[in-house]
Amino acid sequence: MTITFSFISGEIIVPGTPIKVFSPRPIHPTSARSGTTLSSADETVHCVPNVQDGVVTLNTSDLPSNVYCIRVDPLLDSGGDCINSHPISSCVVIRKMKARVPRDYIILHVVHLAIGDVATTRLRPGEECRPGTQYIEVVQIAHRQTGKSFRRYFDQSGDEIDGSELLRAVAQRRQSKYGRVHEDLWKQLENSEQGSSHDVVIWPLVDDDSLTTYPAEYTDGTTRSHETDRQHDVFSFDRSKAKIMQQVLDLGAECRDHSGIPRICANLTARQIRTLAQSNHVGTIFKASSQRQLQAVPNLRTTMLNISRANRVHDSNILGEGIKVADWEAGPSDLTDMAFEDGGRFSDHPDDGENKLHARLVSAIIKSVDRPDQPRGYAPLCKLYSANTFSPDALIWAVKEKQCTVINISWDFVGSESSGAMNEQDVFIDWVATQRPWPTIVMAAGNEGRFENNPKYVANKSFNAIIVGAHNYTFRKDISEDRMAYFSNFINPTSPHADRELPSIAAPGAGISVLGTITQGTSFASPAVAGAVALIQSVHRSLSNNPEACRAIILAGAGRNVRDGQWAADVSSSSPHKDGRDGVGALDVEAAVKIAQRLVSPSTERPLSPWGWYHDVYKSVGNTLHADRKVFRTRITVPSSYQLGIVSESGPSLNLRAVVTWNSKVKWRAWGVGGHLSLPTINLELKLLDARSQQLVAFSVSFDNNYEVLDFIPTMRTDYDLLVEEGESQVDHANDGVAVAVAWCLFYNDEIV
């Protein structure tokens, strides 16, 4: 037996709940007081331990809401013998709450919401609602003995209420207000002059499942088949599009069709938009925004390949050979040092726009010609294509005609950083990711977050893409400056429970030297991740048609925390917008490649290695009572100190990271109301159990994401059971099939074991 705690890692407790450390033997008081420390992300907390026999107690009554780490250094018992040879650490979250939760339940996740007319707003713990709104707490709890979890809702008085109906009513009021007109376009119409025209994108009304394709099963490690278990026509939206186009002509306007894509472009007046919105063939009418390349600002030179550990992978001759990658943006027209395939440009005469260097720099980070003065990019043997106009036709050319399985997008729409709603491109990208050949799409987070008092929404908000923020040239803990780039957008998109987390990950984006130019921006962090995806696809070809697994592996490998806490701790942050500036952490190409090399079959009979990945298609049981909600289960063994090569008695820095990802669907109905929204139709939870006792030791639970991230400080020479379970969902989509992937790895001092 060793040191244990009164809470599980990441558990939420209310102020005044004592934190207890349990020892199998009586502890020497002096050893306990000097060896037990409590700290937040900002500072060490002065908290004098109370020691009685084998129990150390810390009083939390005066501690503010925050994420705290408790560290227990090697302790001595009353006889002077060592109790624990290595330091033991764990995290706990202290939150002010109204909810009265029974003591036999663990609090896993809490959001404090103000329910308004057509939106919900996340509140800080203890913050009061504005007049005209209603306060609720959404709490995920789990039974301490069985581990079974539940979602519960509480009001201002701490009484349990039917909060799901309150949230459903918000969605219904939104539908009543906006109808088939996207909210950003609706607001533009409100503020426009009478008779003014507007560029719009129209999506047709289609059957729920006709926009998503994948086979029923692909668990054998082969690439996805080009056959699907549902014999629907992928282009079933064509008939609706034809009728909409005729209606637009009847209104006296013109429109442009995009063949094979569920969208129509038009220029309409407010009156024409409102008339068209009454059509039963129309799904949603979106605002068409102007595209822009993300602007770069010069900074210090650095070697991004070394920072993200891609150089180590290159040294092993893993170079992305044969993987088809496309950069979708305007340009480049100057092909100096470019390494595109023959016939690998959508247009022979592209317009670069205002920033003529942008596309060249982005492309060269993925792959460039061989030059003695610089590396050849992240994936020097990939097949690089240039989808070199902003038209969606260029993207479809790269995906459908050229069969590219990695897409980089280093641009956004004007104004996307000022709205928390997903725009038409976000929905379009989520649709593309669910079409053959199922590409992995990587997008920049945006560069408008330059002022602390006016931070901006993440510009690109797709569920089925990897959204990339930028970190600085270093993020060593002894450097006091902010390790995330000051310009990197981080405010989360709006969502029903206000806990959706973006960006997904951070990559080098400051002080980038490429093609003789020194620059910075999330534009250049994004192709670093795209190149990393090409590398992992080249080591296991089944990943080429599996964006969920690519996402899981890239996120699982990013175990180096850049700032604030780990992902789950950031989700539980005491500030609505403090969470997740760095996503899950910093890109680590070496760790991702090592995980990608080991596709495993789940097993509880034999322990698996501390890294690997798995994928499947899971059919939801919805909110059916007493249904088996198990999606995945496997056993993981943490090696001994000898196997890890640990000789220092100061103690290892171990972290077990697990990630589950699943695809969002572009569906017509959400919460029983209309709207072409991309949304996760199921909710998955990650849980870690002690294999011997089957007690819950760690978890990852949120409400509005289509990925979960678990970080846990494990005990050496111990087996753990990793579980993925279907949780409660706001919508009941029983039998709805989604692609699911799981990846995990063990880090020791920020290096994958």
Side-chain angles (χ1 to χ4, degrees):
M1 295 181 63
T2 185
I3 298 296
T4 58
F5 300 101
S6 58
F7 56 88
I8 67 171
S9 179
E11 181 178 344
I12 298 171
I13 63 175
V14 298
T17 303
I19 295 175
K20 295 185 177 182
V21 180
F22 300 103
S23 165
R25 305 193 299 274
I27 308 170
H28 192 283
T30 302
S31 173
R33 294 189 183 101
S34 61
T36 307
T37 56
L38 191 67
S39 62
S40 66
D42 307 317
E43 59 182 356
T44 300
V45 178
H46 180 68
C47 192
V48 179
N50 177 44
V51 186
Q52 186 172 4
D53 295 329
V55 181
V56 179
T57 304
L58 301 175
N59 189 339
T60 66
S61 299
D62 298 326
L63 296 181
S65 295
N66 209 334
V67 180
Y68 294 90
C69 177
I70 182 170
R71 175 185 169 100
V72 180
D73 289 324
L75 299 179
L76 301 179
D77 62 17
S78 55
D81 294 325
C82 187
I83 299 174
N84 54 306
S85 59
H86 296 294
I88 298 174
S89 300
S90 191
C91 289
V92 65
V93 181
I94 297 179
R95 296 286 292 269
K96 292 181 178 178
M97 294 173 55
K98 308 286 187 182
R100 294 189 288 269
V101 178
R103 290 189 176 183
D104 52 348
Y105 284 90
I106 301 165
I107 303 173
L108 306 179
H109 184 48
V110 181
V111 291
H112 311 262
L113 298 178
I115 305 294
D117 183 33
V118 294
T120 57
T121 304
R122 189 167 178 176
L123 304 172
R124 296 178 179 86
E127 183 180 358
E128 297 296 325
C129 283
R130 292 181 179 179
T133 62
Q134 180 179 353
Y135 180 92
I136 69 167
E137 287 178 353
V138 189
V139 185
Q140 192 78 9
I141 59 176
H143 195 275
R144 284 193 186 275
Q145 299 303 317
T146 67
K148 187 175 181 180
S149 60
F150 309 87
R151 188 179 303 183
R152 294 293 182 261
Y153 303 83
F154 299 86
D155 63 12
Q156 178 77 27
S157 302
D159 297 326
E160 189 170 347
I161 58 172
D162 188 352
S164 62
E165 281 305 311
L166 289 175
L167 294 174
R168 189 180 298 274
V170 171
Q172 291 170 340
R173 291 193 294 269
R174 286 175 63 85
Q175 174 63 16
S176 298
K177 180 175 181 177
Y178 301 127
R180 299 171 194 259
V181 178
H182 186 268
E183 63 180 274
D184 288 346
L185 177 58
W186 190 91
K187 293 171 184 175
Q188 179 174 296
L189 296 179
E190 262 200 330
N191 298 322
S192 63
E193 296 180 3
Q194 189 73 21
S196 62
S197 60
H198 307 267
D199 291 327
V200 299
V201 179
I202 307 157
W203 278 56
L205 174 63
V206 294
D207 174 73
D208 277 358
D209 280 331
S210 64
L211 290 180
T212 304
T213 65
Y214 44 75
E217 296 183 7
Y218 55 105
T219 58
D220 59 354
T222 60
T223 57
R224 296 189 185 194
S225 167
H226 281 202
E227 297 297 322
T228 175
D229 61 318
R230 288 190 291 269
Q231 297 301 315
H232 60 66
D233 179 7
V234 175
F235 303 116
S236 61
F237 43 74
D238 280 346
R239 279 178 288 182
S240 293
K241 283 175 62 178
K243 292 178 180 178
I244 293 171
M245 292 173 68
Q246 184 58 53
Q247 290 173 333
V248 171
L249 294 175
D250 292 343
L251 290 171
E254 295 182 352
C255 59
R256 179 190 174 199
D257 181 24
H258 293 273
S259 178
I261 307 176
R263 68 197 302 271
I264 302 164
C265 294
N267 182 272
L268 305 175
T269 65
R271 182 186 296 273
Q272 290 170 331
I273 291 170
R274 293 188 176 102
T275 300
L276 188 63
Q278 303 305 310
S279 170
N280 290 330
H281 300 294
V282 170
T284 304
I285 306 176
F286 291 91
K287 170 185 173 183
S289 301
S290 300
Q291 302 94 342
R292 64 177 174 195
Q293 292 164 315
L294 301 175
Q295 297 302 306
V297 181
N299 203 337
L300 301 174
R301 177 181 178 134
T302 190
T303 306
M304 64 189 308
L305 292 173
N306 293 353
I307 292 174
S308 56
R309 295 174 174 167
N311 60 317
R312 303 181 185 182
V313 173
H314 292 174
D315 291 343
S316 299
N317 205 35
I318 296 171
L319 304 169
E321 184 172 4
I323 301 301
K324 294 183 177 182
V325 184
D327 179 43
W328 180 32
E329 64 176 297
S333 58
D334 181 358
L335 300 184
T336 305
D337 294 322
M338 294 292 94
F340 300 125
E341 294 295 300
D342 291 339
R345 301 169 72 212
F346 176 72
S347 170
D348 291 333
H349 304 286
D351 181 1
D352 290 292
E354 296 180 2
N355 190 345
K356 297 189 180 300
L357 259 180
H358 189 275
R360 288 185 64 229
L361 301 179
V362 169
S363 298
I365 288 172
I366 301 171
K367 177 184 180 180
S368 66
V369 299
D370 196 3
R371 284 177 41 159
D373 59 335
Q374 71 171 37
R376 293 182 57 196
Y378 273 79
L381 292 187
C382 77
K383 295 182 177 181
L384 184 61
Y385 294 82
S386 179
N388 53 14
T389 77
F390 283 131
S391 167
D393 296 331
L395 176 60
I396 296 303
W397 166 84
V399 173
K400 297 293 185 181
E401 182 175 331
K402 297 303 179 182
Q403 294 287 295
C404 292
T405 58
V406 185
I407 305 293
N408 180 72
I409 303 174
S410 288
W411 55 277
D412 61 18
F413 282 115
V414 174
S416 57
E417 79 283 358
S418 299
S419 172
M422 294 178 70
N423 60 32
E424 190 271 338
Q425 175 168 290
D426 297 322
V427 177
F428 176 57
I429 292 301
D430 278 347
W431 175 76
V432 172
T434 60
Q435 308 302 305
R436 304 184 184 106
W438 299 281
T440 299
I441 301 176
V442 184
M443 308 178 77
N447 299 337
E448 294 78 31
R450 300 186 180 185
F451 303 100
E452 188 70 28
N453 60 352
N454 188 28
K456 299 296 184 180
Y457 289 103
V458 169
N460 291 308
K461 306 174 181 69
S462 297
F463 278 100
N464 295 338
I466 302 174
I467 310 299
V468 187
H471 66 66
N472 282 327
Y473 59 93
T474 183
F475 46 87
R476 288 165 41 205
K477 292 184 172 72
D478 58 337
I479 302 294
S480 59
E481 65 186 89
D482 189 355
R483 294 176 286 273
M484 280 298 291
Y486 71 94
F487 51 77
S488 187
N489 293 13
F490 66 92
I491 299 298
N492 296 325
T494 54
S495 63
H497 299 88
D499 73 340
R500 191 178 168 205
E501 280 299 313
L502 288 180
S504 317
I505 193 172
I512 304 304
S513 176
V514 57
L515 298 184
T517 299
I518 302 174
T519 188
Q520 67 179 20
T522 57
S523 284
F524 312 114
S526 181
V529 176
V533 172
L535 295 175
I536 68 170
Q537 288 187 359
S538 71
V539 300
H540 208 298
R541 289 306 174 106
S542 68
L543 291 169
S544 297
N545 305 102
N546 198 327
E548 297 81 26
C550 288
R551 254 194 321 138
I553 291 168
I554 290 292
L555 300 187
R560 294 177 293 169
N561 192 47
V562 182
R563 62 162 289 163
D564 298 329
Q566 298 281 20
W567 188 86
D570 286 345
V571 174
S572 294
S573 169
S574 57
S575 168
H577 298 312
K578 177 183 174 184
D579 45 357
R581 292 194 186 203
D582 60 343
V584 302
L587 174 66
D588 188 330
V589 181
E590 181 185 36
V593 165
K594 193 168 185 178
I595 297 168
Q597 290 171 327
R598 185 165 289 172
L599 171 63
V600 302
S601 298
S603 171
T604 55
E605 301 300 324
R606 55 183 180 84
L608 296 177
S609 72
W611 73 86
W613 66 281
Y614 172 77
H615 62 161
D616 201 354
V617 169
Y618 170 73
K619 284 199 171 183
S620 168
V621 299
N623 292 329
T624 306
L625 292 175
H626 310 301
D628 181 9
R629 297 179 178 273
K630 184 180 70 175
V631 181
F632 170 86
R633 181 172 185 144
T634 196
R635 183 156 293 178
I636 300 171
T637 293
V638 178
S640 66
S641 58
Y642 175 78
Q643 292 170 309
L644 291 172
I646 298 171
V647 295
S648 172
E649 289 300 316
S650 61
S653 178
L654 283 174
N655 180 44
L656 178 60
R657 158 74 61 89
V659 175
V660 60
T661 60
W662 62 101
N663 71 284
S664 172
K665 288 188 174 183
V666 177
K667 297 180 74 75
W668 164 246
R669 298 198 178 278
W671 295 16
V673 298
H676 249 133
L677 304 177
S678 176
L679 77 163
T681 56
I682 67 171
N683 183 42
L684 299 181
E685 302 173 356
L686 266 177
K687 296 180 179 180
L688 193 69
L689 308 182
D690 181 282
R692 177 176 294 180
S693 67
Q694 289 298 294
Q695 293 295 303
L696 183 67
V697 295
F699 58 88
S700 179
V701 175
S702 61
F703 300 134
D704 297 333
N705 294 292
N706 65 330
Y707 69 106
E708 293 289 340
V709 183
L710 181 152
D711 287 292
F712 175 67
I713 303 171
T715 302
M716 289 179 288
R717 292 186 300 173
T718 303
D719 289 347
Y720 296 95
D721 284 350
L722 179 65
L723 274 69
V724 179
E725 294 182 340
E726 182 179 359
E728 295 181 50
S729 176
Q730 191 65 41
V731 287
D732 189 0
H733 286 291
N735 299 316
D736 204 0
V738 295
V740 178
V742 189
W744 62 92
C745 61
L746 181 68
F747 292 97
Y748 167 55
N749 285 342
D750 287 339
E751 299 273 357
I752 188 170
V753 172

